[in-house]
Amino acid sequence: MISATSLKSGQAVQPDMLETGDQAVIENASGAVPFAGYEVTLDNVSGAMGFSSAAGYVVVASGSAAAAGETARAGEILILMPRGEGTSAQLYDAGRYAGSWDAAAAEAHPSVYRQLNAVAGRQKWKLFLGRLAPTSFNIAAPGSADAEMARRSIVGEDAVRQIRFSAQQDSSGSARAVVEAFAGALSSGDIGTVAALMDPAPFGAQDLRHGGNGARYLLAERIIGQRDWSDLLPAQAELVDDTLWTVPTGNGSAYINLRRTTDISFVQSIDFQAGE
């Protein structure tokens, strides 16, 4: 375990449990930590860890962070792609990043803030000498802030993020994880997880911020209320054909059909058939 503090709440947090868009500040952290489906080795790292809709990342102000053969040092960011698609170490704009911290964050983490500004000072000198060139790329909001918020409404929920950023790399394993998580949520009455794993296409496709997510929650609530799902046995889910899975119950089977996307499979439909 490492000591990490959420920039959003100011509370201690496990980096792997961060909400999409939040960041955890770390200071002089060392050791191996599971994060975004990788084992990340921290060597006296001060900086931050977080998730965007596109990737997990470790911002290094001092020390070094390594995963899957890549190492990021002071002034670099370790990028961790979902679905085990690999890692990379890239330079980041420390001045712009430090400037995104509000006064409360800077006051709460003065040492890390000073180190970020020290990196920014070195980068300014290298820019002046022509050794660096400015970039508009922002891993925390790739594309634009609005596009990032739209994508978060699709893949930013905890249940989806945990499957995308897991050690599970093959599509069949990911699909099974979706089915088991969906069936488990039905069994426990977890409306949020059921909604998050439902196919977003009927509710807004690429952006659920304008009423789509609310409609998805209402439908999830209706599905949960259709019957007593507590007898579902998620761990016994079996693939029937291509995207169709069956999950046994005490007196029948639930049939769950998935729709594949480039990010994750979503639940397109569920039907229950009573046993004879």
Side-chain angles (χ1 to χ4, degrees), residues 163 176-188 190 193-199 220 223-224 229 232 234 255-256 258 266-270:
I163 294 172
R176 175 177 292 279
V178 169
V179 171
E180 290 181 352
F182 185 81
L186 279 177
S187 179
S188 65
D190 182 350
T193 295
V194 170
L197 294 173
M198 287 170 55
D199 185 3
I223 291 172
I224 288 175
W229 297 101
L232 275 171
Y255 289 86
I256 297 175
L258 304 181
F266 286 102
V267 175
Q268 193 169 54
S269 65
I270 178 169

Side-chain angles (χ1 to χ4, degrees), residues 57-131:
Y57 56 87
V58 183
V59 178
V60 182
S62 65
S64 65
E70 290 285 344
T71 300
R73 296 176 174 83
E76 295 180 327
I77 182 171
L78 183 65
I79 300 172
L80 310 159
M81 298 302 294
R83 300 177 298 276
E85 292 177 356
T87 63
S88 65
Q90 305 288 340
L91 293 170
Y92 67 92
D93 186 336
R96 184 171 68 175
Y97 178 59
S100 71
W101 283 30
D102 59 24
E107 184 176 345
H109 309 284
S111 178
V112 179
Y113 189 65
R114 282 196 302 271
Q115 291 177 74
L116 285 170
N117 280 293
V119 172
R122 295 194 295 270
Q123 289 180 343
K124 283 182 180 179
W125 181 243
K126 290 181 180 179
L127 283 167
F128 175 75
L129 294 176
R131 296 177 182 174

Side-chain angles (χ1 to χ4, degrees), residues 131-188:
R131 296 177 182 174
L132 290 179
T135 176
S136 60
F137 177 70
N138 181 1
I139 190 63
S144 69
D146 187 66
E148 170 65 10
M149 295 306 295
R151 274 184 55 78
R152 285 183 197 173
S153 73
I154 304 295
V155 297
E157 295 287 348
D158 289 350
V160 177
R161 190 197 68 249
Q162 287 168 13
I163 294 172
R164 291 179 68 227
F165 291 97
S166 70
Q168 189 62 254
Q169 298 183 14
D170 62 280
S171 59
S172 62
S174 176
R176 175 177 292 279
V178 169
V179 171
E180 290 181 352
F182 185 81
L186 279 177
S187 179
S188 65

